[in-house]
Amino acid sequence: MHFKIIVSNGRYPLEYRCSTAAEAYGCIESLSTGLLQDVSIDLDEIMEMLVAMKTGKMRSTEQHKLSIFWAEGEV
């Protein structure tokens, strides 16, 4: 299993895959101060969602230009 993070970018969405919640959180934290700095991202809520995905309570979420999935397979 792994996390898949997708940022809407018109016809060319940006995708990042990683195997840990810490890596996924780091990616989203970087996006919140860079590419998505104009979008309000609650990092506490993101961490809660990542943990919920890792424990099987949630499969995906979509917020603004950001989508996060807990996907099958290896990175």
Side-chain angles (χ1 to χ4, degrees):
M1 300 292 283
H2 65 276
F3 289 97
K4 182 165 58 170
I5 299 164
I6 300 173
V7 177
S8 300
N9 190 31
R11 292 183 176 185
Y12 306 99
L14 305 172
E15 184 176 307
Y16 177 73
R17 293 175 188 236
C18 58
S19 56
T20 69
E23 288 175 298
Y25 182 83
C27 172
I28 296 166
E29 184 178 36
S30 292
L31 287 169
S32 73
T33 59
L35 183 63
L36 297 179
Q37 66 186 357
D38 61 331
V39 176
S40 176
I41 297 176
D42 182 344
L43 292 174
D44 289 334
E45 182 181 22
I46 293 294
M47 180 54 82
E48 289 173 10
M49 286 186 225
L50 292 173
V51 170
M53 288 180 196
K54 187 81 174 184
T55 59
K57 296 176 184 166
M58 178 184 243
R59 295 288 293 174
S60 66
T61 184
E62 294 185 38
Q63 298 182 351
H64 313 288
K65 299 178 180 180
L66 180 67
S67 300
I68 309 166
F69 300 93
W70 182 235
E72 297 286 333
E74 298 295 318
V75 177

